[in-house]
mmCIF file of all heavy atoms in Angstrom:
data_model
loop_
_atom_site.group_PDB
_atom_site.id
_atom_site.type_symbol
_atom_site.label_atom_id
_atom_site.label_comp_id
_atom_site.label_asym_id
_atom_site.label_seq_id
_atom_site.Cartn_x
_atom_site.Cartn_y
_atom_site.Cartn_z
ATOM 1 N N HIS A 19 -6.355 -19.861 -13.201
ATOM 2 C CA HIS A 19 -6.306 -18.446 -12.821
ATOM 3 C C HIS A 19 -4.880 -18.004 -12.547
ATOM 4 O O HIS A 19 -3.995 -18.818 -12.297
ATOM 5 C CB HIS A 19 -7.164 -18.183 -11.575
ATOM 6 C CG HIS A 19 -6.633 -18.831 -10.318
ATOM 7 N ND1 HIS A 19 -5.991 -18.122 -9.335
ATOM 8 C CD2 HIS A 19 -6.657 -20.118 -9.901
ATOM 9 C CE1 HIS A 19 -5.641 -18.938 -8.348
ATOM 10 N NE2 HIS A 19 -6.033 -20.157 -8.667
ATOM 11 N N GLN A 20 -4.667 -16.716 -12.608
ATOM 12 C CA GLN A 20 -3.396 -16.137 -12.182
ATOM 13 C C GLN A 20 -3.287 -16.231 -10.674
ATOM 14 O O GLN A 20 -4.270 -16.036 -9.952
ATOM 15 C CB GLN A 20 -3.299 -14.674 -12.611
ATOM 16 C CG GLN A 20 -3.118 -14.469 -14.097
ATOM 17 C CD GLN A 20 -3.261 -13.011 -14.464
ATOM 18 O OE1 GLN A 20 -4.263 -12.393 -14.112
ATOM 19 N NE2 GLN A 20 -2.287 -12.453 -15.145
ATOM 20 N N SER A 21 -2.094 -16.512 -10.202
ATOM 21 C CA SER A 21 -1.863 -16.612 -8.766
ATOM 22 C C SER A 21 -0.904 -15.513 -8.351
ATOM 23 O O SER A 21 0.297 -15.568 -8.652
ATOM 24 C CB SER A 21 -1.280 -17.987 -8.417
ATOM 25 O OG SER A 21 -1.044 -18.101 -7.022
ATOM 26 N N GLN A 22 -1.433 -14.513 -7.672
ATOM 27 C CA GLN A 22 -0.630 -13.373 -7.233
ATOM 28 C C GLN A 22 -1.356 -12.644 -6.113
ATOM 29 O O GLN A 22 -2.562 -12.813 -5.936
ATOM 30 C CB GLN A 22 -0.381 -12.409 -8.391
ATOM 31 C CG GLN A 22 -1.653 -11.820 -8.963
ATOM 32 C CD GLN A 22 -1.544 -11.422 -10.416
ATOM 33 O OE1 GLN A 22 -0.782 -12.019 -11.167
ATOM 34 N NE2 GLN A 22 -2.298 -10.424 -10.809
ATOM 35 N N PHE A 23 -0.621 -11.874 -5.365
ATOM 36 C CA PHE A 23 -1.204 -11.068 -4.299
ATOM 37 C C PHE A 23 -1.411 -9.641 -4.794
ATOM 38 O O PHE A 23 -0.621 -9.123 -5.579
ATOM 39 C CB PHE A 23 -0.285 -11.045 -3.073
ATOM 40 C CG PHE A 23 -0.022 -12.386 -2.473
ATOM 41 C CD1 PHE A 23 1.231 -12.977 -2.580
ATOM 42 C CD2 PHE A 23 -1.022 -13.073 -1.810
ATOM 43 C CE1 PHE A 23 1.483 -14.219 -2.031
ATOM 44 C CE2 PHE A 23 -0.785 -14.327 -1.251
ATOM 45 C CZ PHE A 23 0.477 -14.903 -1.364
ATOM 46 N N TYR A 24 -2.483 -9.025 -4.306
ATOM 47 C CA TYR A 24 -2.750 -7.616 -4.599
ATOM 48 C C TYR A 24 -2.645 -6.815 -3.310
ATOM 49 O O TYR A 24 -3.089 -7.258 -2.248
ATOM 50 C CB TYR A 24 -4.152 -7.433 -5.173
ATOM 51 C CG TYR A 24 -4.334 -7.935 -6.583
ATOM 52 C CD1 TYR A 24 -4.906 -9.172 -6.823
ATOM 53 C CD2 TYR A 24 -3.941 -7.163 -7.678
ATOM 54 C CE1 TYR A 24 -5.087 -9.639 -8.121
ATOM 55 C CE2 TYR A 24 -4.115 -7.619 -8.977
ATOM 56 C CZ TYR A 24 -4.689 -8.856 -9.190
ATOM 57 O OH TYR A 24 -4.857 -9.314 -10.475
ATOM 58 N N PHE A 25 -2.074 -5.606 -3.441
ATOM 59 C CA PHE A 25 -1.962 -4.705 -2.308
ATOM 60 C C PHE A 25 -2.738 -3.432 -2.611
ATOM 61 O O PHE A 25 -2.489 -2.771 -3.618
ATOM 62 C CB PHE A 25 -0.498 -4.373 -2.029
ATOM 63 C CG PHE A 25 0.283 -5.558 -1.541
ATOM 64 C CD1 PHE A 25 0.794 -6.485 -2.428
ATOM 65 C CD2 PHE A 25 0.470 -5.766 -0.187
ATOM 66 C CE1 PHE A 25 1.491 -7.588 -1.987
ATOM 67 C CE2 PHE A 25 1.173 -6.870 0.273
ATOM 68 C CZ PHE A 25 1.689 -7.782 -0.637
ATOM 69 N N VAL A 26 -3.684 -3.114 -1.736
ATOM 70 C CA VAL A 26 -4.557 -1.947 -1.896
ATOM 71 C C VAL A 26 -4.320 -1.025 -0.714
ATOM 72 O O VAL A 26 -4.317 -1.469 0.439
ATOM 73 C CB VAL A 26 -6.040 -2.378 -1.947
ATOM 74 C CG1 VAL A 26 -6.947 -1.178 -2.173
ATOM 75 C CG2 VAL A 26 -6.252 -3.436 -3.039
ATOM 76 N N ASP A 27 -4.108 0.257 -0.980
ATOM 77 C CA ASP A 27 -3.816 1.177 0.119
ATOM 78 C C ASP A 27 -5.084 1.548 0.894
ATOM 79 O O ASP A 27 -6.192 1.140 0.537
ATOM 80 C CB ASP A 27 -3.060 2.417 -0.369
ATOM 81 C CG ASP A 27 -3.891 3.329 -1.276
ATOM 82 O OD1 ASP A 27 -5.133 3.264 -1.243
ATOM 83 O OD2 ASP A 27 -3.282 4.121 -2.018
ATOM 84 N N ALA A 28 -4.910 2.327 1.950
ATOM 85 C CA ALA A 28 -6.023 2.658 2.839
ATOM 86 C C ALA A 28 -7.092 3.506 2.163
ATOM 87 O O ALA A 28 -8.218 3.583 2.641
ATOM 88 C CB ALA A 28 -5.494 3.384 4.082
ATOM 89 N N ASP A 29 -6.752 4.129 1.034
ATOM 90 C CA ASP A 29 -7.728 4.922 0.287
ATOM 91 C C ASP A 29 -8.473 4.088 -0.758
ATOM 92 O O ASP A 29 -9.289 4.625 -1.502
ATOM 93 C CB ASP A 29 -7.026 6.090 -0.416
ATOM 94 C CG ASP A 29 -6.430 7.077 0.578
ATOM 95 O OD1 ASP A 29 -7.059 7.303 1.628
ATOM 96 O OD2 ASP A 29 -5.336 7.604 0.306
ATOM 97 N N GLY A 30 -8.143 2.794 -0.823
ATOM 98 C CA GLY A 30 -8.822 1.926 -1.767
ATOM 99 C C GLY A 30 -8.178 1.843 -3.135
ATOM 100 O O GLY A 30 -8.767 1.290 -4.070
ATOM 101 N N ASN A 31 -6.964 2.381 -3.276
ATOM 102 C CA ASN A 31 -6.260 2.359 -4.557
ATOM 103 C C ASN A 31 -5.376 1.118 -4.658
ATOM 104 O O ASN A 31 -4.576 0.846 -3.759
ATOM 105 C CB ASN A 31 -5.383 3.608 -4.708
ATOM 106 C CG ASN A 31 -6.193 4.886 -4.617
ATOM 107 O OD1 ASN A 31 -7.231 5.027 -5.255
ATOM 108 N ND2 ASN A 31 -5.722 5.826 -3.812
ATOM 109 N N VAL A 32 -5.515 0.388 -5.763
ATOM 110 C CA VAL A 32 -4.662 -0.776 -5.989
ATOM 111 C C VAL A 32 -3.256 -0.289 -6.317
ATOM 112 O O VAL A 32 -3.072 0.486 -7.250
ATOM 113 C CB VAL A 32 -5.206 -1.644 -7.138
ATOM 114 C CG1 VAL A 32 -4.370 -2.910 -7.275
ATOM 115 C CG2 VAL A 32 -6.671 -1.995 -6.915
ATOM 116 N N GLN A 33 -2.285 -0.734 -5.548
ATOM 117 C CA GLN A 33 -0.914 -0.245 -5.704
ATOM 118 C C GLN A 33 0.008 -1.252 -6.385
ATOM 119 O O GLN A 33 0.706 -0.916 -7.329
ATOM 120 C CB GLN A 33 -0.338 0.125 -4.335
ATOM 121 C CG GLN A 33 -1.039 1.280 -3.658
ATOM 122 C CD GLN A 33 -0.734 2.619 -4.313
ATOM 123 O OE1 GLN A 33 0.200 2.743 -5.086
ATOM 124 N NE2 GLN A 33 -1.527 3.625 -4.013
ATOM 125 N N TYR A 34 0.040 -2.479 -5.886
ATOM 126 C CA TYR A 34 0.994 -3.455 -6.382
ATOM 127 C C TYR A 34 0.371 -4.839 -6.514
ATOM 128 O O TYR A 34 -0.601 -5.177 -5.826
ATOM 129 C CB TYR A 34 2.191 -3.599 -5.412
ATOM 130 C CG TYR A 34 2.832 -2.300 -5.014
ATOM 131 C CD1 TYR A 34 2.587 -1.726 -3.768
ATOM 132 C CD2 TYR A 34 3.694 -1.634 -5.881
ATOM 133 C CE1 TYR A 34 3.170 -0.529 -3.398
ATOM 134 C CE2 TYR A 34 4.280 -0.430 -5.522
ATOM 135 C CZ TYR A 34 4.019 0.114 -4.276
ATOM 136 O OH TYR A 34 4.587 1.311 -3.911
ATOM 137 N N ALA A 35 0.974 -5.635 -7.403
ATOM 138 C CA ALA A 35 0.742 -7.074 -7.430
ATOM 139 C C ALA A 35 2.085 -7.718 -7.127
ATOM 140 O O ALA A 35 3.134 -7.233 -7.566
ATOM 141 C CB ALA A 35 0.229 -7.522 -8.792
ATOM 142 N N LEU A 36 2.062 -8.796 -6.362
ATOM 143 C CA LEU A 36 3.284 -9.517 -6.016
ATOM 144 C C LEU A 36 3.132 -10.973 -6.413
ATOM 145 O O LEU A 36 2.076 -11.579 -6.190
ATOM 146 C CB LEU A 36 3.575 -9.450 -4.510
ATOM 147 C CG LEU A 36 4.449 -8.296 -4.018
ATOM 148 C CD1 LEU A 36 3.728 -6.962 -4.220
ATOM 149 C CD2 LEU A 36 4.801 -8.485 -2.553
ATOM 150 N N VAL A 37 4.194 -11.533 -6.992
ATOM 151 C CA VAL A 37 4.149 -12.949 -7.335
ATOM 152 C C VAL A 37 4.035 -13.767 -6.055
ATOM 153 O O VAL A 37 4.528 -13.367 -4.992
ATOM 154 C CB VAL A 37 5.389 -13.372 -8.142
ATOM 155 C CG1 VAL A 37 5.408 -12.684 -9.507
ATOM 156 C CG2 VAL A 37 6.669 -13.087 -7.383
ATOM 157 N N ASP A 38 3.375 -14.922 -6.159
ATOM 158 C CA ASP A 38 3.108 -15.713 -4.966
ATOM 159 C C ASP A 38 4.342 -16.450 -4.437
ATOM 160 O O ASP A 38 4.284 -17.081 -3.384
ATOM 161 C CB ASP A 38 1.973 -16.700 -5.219
ATOM 162 C CG ASP A 38 2.278 -17.679 -6.342
ATOM 163 O OD1 ASP A 38 3.392 -17.635 -6.898
ATOM 164 O OD2 ASP A 38 1.390 -18.480 -6.683
ATOM 165 N N SER A 39 5.459 -16.360 -5.163
ATOM 166 C CA SER A 39 6.686 -17.013 -4.707
ATOM 167 C C SER A 39 7.544 -16.098 -3.834
ATOM 168 O O SER A 39 8.609 -16.498 -3.365
ATOM 169 C CB SER A 39 7.512 -17.479 -5.913
ATOM 170 O OG SER A 39 7.807 -16.388 -6.773
ATOM 171 N N MET A 40 7.068 -14.880 -3.603
ATOM 172 C CA MET A 40 7.831 -13.924 -2.804
ATOM 173 C C MET A 40 7.905 -14.384 -1.350
ATOM 174 O O MET A 40 6.969 -15.006 -0.824
ATOM 175 C CB MET A 40 7.188 -12.550 -2.888
ATOM 176 C CG MET A 40 8.102 -11.421 -2.517
ATOM 177 S SD MET A 40 7.405 -9.835 -3.064
ATOM 178 C CE MET A 40 8.740 -8.750 -2.626
ATOM 179 N N LEU A 41 9.001 -14.085 -0.684
ATOM 180 C CA LEU A 41 9.185 -14.513 0.691
ATOM 181 C C LEU A 41 8.282 -13.734 1.645
ATOM 182 O O LEU A 41 8.089 -12.519 1.483
ATOM 183 C CB LEU A 41 10.643 -14.325 1.112
ATOM 184 C CG LEU A 41 11.672 -15.188 0.376
ATOM 185 C CD1 LEU A 41 13.081 -14.808 0.819
ATOM 186 C CD2 LEU A 41 11.414 -16.667 0.617
ATOM 187 N N PRO A 42 7.717 -14.408 2.657
ATOM 188 C CA PRO A 42 6.832 -13.734 3.620
ATOM 189 C C PRO A 42 7.463 -12.521 4.291
ATOM 190 O O PRO A 42 6.783 -11.519 4.521
ATOM 191 C CB PRO A 42 6.519 -14.837 4.642
ATOM 192 C CG PRO A 42 6.632 -16.101 3.857
ATOM 193 C CD PRO A 42 7.769 -15.861 2.897
ATOM 194 N N GLY A 43 8.758 -12.596 4.593
ATOM 195 C CA GLY A 43 9.413 -11.454 5.240
ATOM 196 C C GLY A 43 9.419 -10.223 4.361
ATOM 197 O O GLY A 43 9.215 -9.103 4.849
ATOM 198 N N ASP A 44 9.643 -10.416 3.053
ATOM 199 C CA ASP A 44 9.625 -9.289 2.123
ATOM 200 C C ASP A 44 8.211 -8.733 1.978
ATOM 201 O O ASP A 44 8.008 -7.517 1.917
ATOM 202 C CB ASP A 44 10.155 -9.720 0.756
ATOM 203 C CG ASP A 44 11.656 -9.988 0.769
ATOM 204 O OD1 ASP A 44 12.338 -9.428 1.649
ATOM 205 O OD2 ASP A 44 12.126 -10.751 -0.090
ATOM 206 N N ILE A 45 7.232 -9.628 1.912
ATOM 207 C CA ILE A 45 5.835 -9.195 1.826
ATOM 208 C C ILE A 45 5.459 -8.397 3.071
ATOM 209 O O ILE A 45 4.804 -7.353 2.986
ATOM 210 C CB ILE A 45 4.898 -10.395 1.652
ATOM 211 C CG1 ILE A 45 5.131 -11.054 0.287
ATOM 212 C CG2 ILE A 45 3.433 -9.968 1.785
ATOM 213 C CD1 ILE A 45 4.336 -12.331 0.074
ATOM 214 N N ALA A 46 5.881 -8.868 4.228
ATOM 215 C CA ALA A 46 5.571 -8.180 5.487
ATOM 216 C C ALA A 46 6.117 -6.766 5.503
ATOM 217 O O ALA A 46 5.463 -5.827 5.987
ATOM 218 C CB ALA A 46 6.110 -8.980 6.671
ATOM 219 N N ARG A 47 7.321 -6.571 4.955
ATOM 220 C CA ARG A 47 7.906 -5.225 4.924
ATOM 221 C C ARG A 47 7.079 -4.292 4.050
ATOM 222 O O ARG A 47 6.888 -3.113 4.389
ATOM 223 C CB ARG A 47 9.362 -5.297 4.421
ATOM 224 C CG ARG A 47 10.333 -5.776 5.487
ATOM 225 C CD ARG A 47 11.773 -5.568 5.046
ATOM 226 N NE ARG A 47 12.180 -6.562 4.074
ATOM 227 C CZ ARG A 47 12.659 -7.771 4.389
ATOM 228 N NH1 ARG A 47 12.761 -8.112 5.662
ATOM 229 N NH2 ARG A 47 13.039 -8.607 3.441
ATOM 230 N N ILE A 48 6.560 -4.803 2.939
ATOM 231 C CA ILE A 48 5.727 -3.979 2.069
ATOM 232 C C ILE A 48 4.394 -3.679 2.750
ATOM 233 O O ILE A 48 3.884 -2.559 2.684
ATOM 234 C CB ILE A 48 5.515 -4.683 0.714
ATOM 235 C CG1 ILE A 48 6.844 -4.818 -0.016
ATOM 236 C CG2 ILE A 48 4.513 -3.908 -0.141
ATOM 237 C CD1 ILE A 48 6.774 -5.600 -1.308
ATOM 238 N N LEU A 49 3.827 -4.668 3.413
ATOM 239 C CA LEU A 49 2.572 -4.462 4.135
ATOM 240 C C LEU A 49 2.726 -3.392 5.209
ATOM 241 O O LEU A 49 1.851 -2.537 5.389
ATOM 242 C CB LEU A 49 2.097 -5.771 4.754
ATOM 243 C CG LEU A 49 1.505 -6.824 3.815
ATOM 244 C CD1 LEU A 49 1.280 -8.134 4.563
ATOM 245 C CD2 LEU A 49 0.206 -6.329 3.199
ATOM 246 N N LYS A 50 3.825 -3.441 5.940
ATOM 247 C CA LYS A 50 4.063 -2.438 6.969
ATOM 248 C C LYS A 50 4.181 -1.045 6.359
ATOM 249 O O LYS A 50 3.695 -0.069 6.936
ATOM 250 C CB LYS A 50 5.317 -2.790 7.769
ATOM 251 C CG LYS A 50 5.130 -3.928 8.748
ATOM 252 C CD LYS A 50 6.390 -4.130 9.584
ATOM 253 C CE LYS A 50 6.211 -5.206 10.637
ATOM 254 N NZ LYS A 50 7.382 -5.363 11.505
ATOM 255 N N HIS A 51 4.825 -0.969 5.199
ATOM 256 C CA HIS A 51 4.938 0.324 4.511
ATOM 257 C C HIS A 51 3.555 0.860 4.142
ATOM 258 O O HIS A 51 3.256 2.038 4.350
ATOM 259 C CB HIS A 51 5.802 0.160 3.260
ATOM 260 C CG HIS A 51 5.502 1.136 2.160
ATOM 261 N ND1 HIS A 51 5.642 2.508 2.325
ATOM 262 C CD2 HIS A 51 5.030 0.955 0.908
ATOM 263 C CE1 HIS A 51 5.283 3.122 1.195
ATOM 264 N NE2 HIS A 51 4.914 2.204 0.331
ATOM 265 N N LEU A 52 2.691 -0.002 3.603
ATOM 266 C CA LEU A 52 1.354 0.440 3.215
ATOM 267 C C LEU A 52 0.500 0.827 4.423
ATOM 268 O O LEU A 52 -0.383 1.678 4.322
ATOM 269 C CB LEU A 52 0.652 -0.667 2.426
ATOM 270 C CG LEU A 52 1.129 -0.921 0.994
ATOM 271 C CD1 LEU A 52 0.366 -2.082 0.382
ATOM 272 C CD2 LEU A 52 0.964 0.315 0.137
ATOM 273 N N ALA A 53 0.766 0.180 5.537
ATOM 274 C CA ALA A 53 -0.054 0.424 6.734
ATOM 275 C C ALA A 53 0.348 1.693 7.480
ATOM 276 O O ALA A 53 -0.379 2.152 8.354
ATOM 277 C CB ALA A 53 0.039 -0.769 7.671
ATOM 278 N N ASN A 54 1.501 2.274 7.132
ATOM 279 C CA ASN A 54 1.985 3.465 7.844
ATOM 280 C C ASN A 54 1.888 4.711 7.002
ATOM 281 O O ASN A 54 1.555 4.662 5.838
ATOM 282 C CB ASN A 54 3.442 3.233 8.284
ATOM 283 C CG ASN A 54 3.546 2.139 9.307
ATOM 284 O OD1 ASN A 54 2.699 2.020 10.204
ATOM 285 N ND2 ASN A 54 4.579 1.308 9.200
#
C-alpha cells in the first residue's frame, strides 16, 4: 500500500496528503493551521 498521511478539514474536505517521512514538527504546524 501507499504510505502517506491525509489531512481533512473540519468540513470533511480532503485537503492534503503528506509523505510519511515528513518531520513531526512540520506536520504539527499544518495540523494547527487546519484546526484554526
